Amino acid sequence: MNGRFMLDGQPVMFEEGQTILQAAKAAGHYIPSLCWHPDFPPHGSCKLCIVKVGGRHVSSCALQAKDGMEIESNTPEINGERRALLQMLFVEGNHFCPSCEKSGNCELQAQAYELEMTSARFNYFFPVRPVDASHPDILLDFNRCIFCELCVRASRDIDGKSIFALTNRGIHKHLVVNAESGRLGDTDFSALDRAASICPVGVILPKRVGFAVPIGERIYDEKPISLVSMEKER
Amino acid sequence: MSDKPKLRVATTSLAGCFGCHMSFLDIDEHLFELAQLVEFDRSPLTDIKHCGPCDIGLIEGGVCNAENVHVLREFRRNCKTLVAVGACAINGGLPAQRNHLDLGACLQEVYLSRDGIANPGVPDDPELPLLLDKVHPIHEVVRVDYFIPGCPPSGEAIWKFLSDLIAGRTPRLPHSMLHFD
């Protein structure tokens, strides 16, 4: 059954089976997200796409649209909560943008620009996460992982290799490589795998192409992610 | 000359590279405008050694040693509005990339075991401030009112921020001036 919901006071039409996020985007209304990807089922872990439906917080990537829903998304309150989520992601990892090859193409950074995050507000954890440069074509820099599981999902569901996984819980959660040695070089991972190009941040990086596009001329240097992502999915 | 009292501005570089100060000078002809509106207290531009009561304090760099902590606290005590300028003040930046290393091992590597070192020995002159075991962004040490991200923030961003603040507007950087790199 198709229907209509109200998003920030504006009517949005949807088709049966669409989530709030899908329907909103199809109608030209951007909702920030990180772990959501159009090629995969919703993951619902980053919570950046939270909206309020009837006063309750829900993940708009995971909840199916229903006729007559009253939804708040682009409000100072919800954007403030989204900013706090980003700030927590920034302090939990080591996100040093000036020395990161992904800077300007990074979705975490782009969401921080989008939501006008100027500082991480909390105290930094400065976790110790050594990099893995063992693979001939790919560098793994765990410092920047935000646990969106896109590489885990792509490697398992598309490449059929299950090379990545998250292990442990809570603050000890981290990305691991499915090899006895734990090193990417000891797996059959290829730079052509879907998982090699899906990381929204700077964890999985191809070698020997660093800074081919200069800082300042990259995707989100010029346009906010709200515009880029709407153009891409149109 | 208007008789409106000028705002007092102090600036300093803690664990930074003076790149943000260079970027500040990059506001070019706006410096003349700024000179009509503010006068400088402690700053590398004046060589005044200690900060007196100020309206605005601009801090470049993170906190990597005991002296940084003293200077930062002096600024916080004296400045009505304290601003973190640039990546290092905001998240520790490049100096903070030593945070996953043991400080002793770091000093050993640089001053003792490095190849071709003439007089090995960790510098221990009493004038040298003690290093902290980790480099911290300034908001972990004092309350910070505003943050201007960038490595460095562009002269344009610094001018937009300052002109907003001096005019009494809430400072806000548009997407084109908000960069972390």
Side-chain angles (χ1 to χ4, degrees):
Chain A
M1 190 196 76
N2 297 354
R4 194 181 80 151
F5 60 78
M6 298 299 281
L7 179 69
D8 294 329
Q10 294 189 323
V12 172
M13 308 299 290
F14 66 90
E15 292 163 20
E16 173 76 46
Q18 273 186 318
T19 61
I20 295 170
L21 185 135
Q22 283 171 327
K25 281 191 147 182
H29 302 281
Y30 180 68
I31 298 179
S33 63
L34 274 173
C35 71
W36 185 78
H37 191 289
D39 299 348
F40 293 89
H43 194 247
S45 64
C46 76
K47 298 294 172 208
L48 215 61
C49 72
I50 44 164
V51 293
K52 267 178 155 182
V53 180
R56 288 176 189 271
H57 286 88
V58 299
S59 300
S60 64
C61 70
L63 192 72
Q64 293 206 348
K66 292 272 180 302
D67 196 40
M69 276 177 164
E70 304 249 349
I71 303 171
E72 289 171 54
S73 173
N74 188 15
T75 67
E77 180 199 352
I78 297 174
N79 285 336
E81 290 168 345
R82 290 173 178 148
R83 201 175 306 121
L85 290 168
L86 288 174
Q87 288 167 320
M88 288 190 266
L89 286 174
F90 269 87
V91 298
E92 282 172 20
N94 292 309
H95 299 277
F96 294 106
C97 300
S99 55
C100 177
E101 152 59 15
K102 193 79 172 194
S103 192
N105 294 328
C106 169
E107 291 182 26
L108 178 68
Q109 186 192 55
Q111 292 295 359
Y113 295 167
E114 177 74 25
L115 292 158
E116 297 185 69
M117 184 196 111
T118 57
S119 100
R121 179 169 133 199
F122 305 112
N123 285 7
Y124 281 84
F125 288 26
F126 296 120
V128 178
R129 298 191 195 156
V131 302
D132 176 353
S134 61
H135 193 280
D137 302 319
I138 296 287
L139 172 72
L140 278 188
D141 190 332
F142 297 103
N143 290 294
R144 302 156 184 165
C145 186
I146 57 168
F147 315 121
C148 68
E149 287 202 11
L150 275 169
C151 60
V152 177
R153 292 181 271 162
S155 184
R156 181 189 62 215
D157 302 339
I158 294 182
D159 305 328
K161 294 183 179 176
S162 291
I163 283 174
F164 299 103
L166 290 185
T167 188
N168 286 347
R169 306 283 293 172
I171 203 61
H172 301 295
K173 180 160 69 182
H174 62 281
L175 184 66
V176 286
V177 171
N178 184 7
E180 190 98 358
S181 63
R183 285 150 47 100
L184 192 65
D186 296 328
T187 67
D188 58 348
F189 190 65
S190 150
L192 302 173
D193 286 358
R194 186 72 182 93
S197 59
I198 202 154
C199 182
V201 294
V203 179
I204 305 175
L205 295 170
K207 290 185 176 176
R208 293 178 296 277
V209 294
F211 300 96
V213 178
I215 297 275
E217 294 174 20
R218 298 176 171 199
I219 303 169
Y220 308 115
D221 285 336
E222 284 161 8
K223 279 189 195 169
I225 191 167
S226 51
L227 289 183
V228 174
S229 116
M230 299 302 282
E231 283 167 8
K232 214 160 43 182
E233 284 158 39
R234 189 165 296 154
Chain B
M1 279 294 286
S2 84
D3 4 311
K4 219 176 143 192
K6 288 183 173 181
L7 295 177
R8 279 189 85 75
V9 176
T11 79
T12 191
S13 178
L14 306 176
C17 69
F18 280 91
C20 295
H21 274 82
M22 296 306 291
S23 205
F24 179 38
L25 297 179
D26 263 346
I27 67 175
D28 298 334
E29 71 272 19
H30 293 305
L31 281 168
F32 295 109
E33 243 171 288
L34 190 65
Q36 299 293 318
L37 301 166
V38 310
E39 56 192 358
F40 285 94
D41 196 280
R42 175 178 175 161
S43 167
L45 307 173
T46 59
D47 214 25
I48 296 173
K49 302 298 181 203
H50 286 282
C51 185
C54 280
D55 298 288
I56 302 171
L58 304 175
I59 309 279
E60 165 192 339
V63 179
C64 82
N65 63 33
E67 194 223 359
N68 293 159
V69 177
H70 290 302
V71 174
L72 181 57
R73 287 185 173 153
E74 178 182 300
F75 268 70
R76 180 67 277 182
R77 264 199 311 278
N78 284 289
C79 301
K80 288 183 197 155
T81 301
L82 196 67
V83 186
V85 183
C88 301
I90 292 173
N91 72 4
L94 184 74
Q97 302 204 21
R98 76 158 157 89
N99 283 357
H100 67 278
L101 302 170
D102 175 72
L103 181 59
C106 229
L107 290 170
Q108 190 121 10
E109 180 74 27
V110 174
Y111 292 108
L112 297 174
S113 54
R114 191 158 47 96
D115 279 346
I117 195 158
N119 298 304
V122 176
D124 58 355
D125 191 297
E127 292 250 322
L128 290 174
L130 280 177
L131 293 174
L132 307 182
D133 69 333
K134 295 247 189 293
V135 179
H136 296 275
I138 66 168
H139 76 265
E140 294 186 8
V141 181
V142 296
R143 180 174 56 81
V144 177
D145 300 295
Y146 294 103
F147 302 83
I148 313 177
C151 184
S154 63
E156 217 188 353
I158 295 174
W159 177 245
K160 170 75 167 70
F161 176 89
L162 283 177
S163 49
D164 277 354
L165 189 65
I166 292 168
R169 296 184 292 265
T170 301
R172 193 173 179 189
L173 297 177
H175 181 270
S176 61
M177 294 183 202
L178 185 58
H179 288 287
F180 293 173
D181 53 20

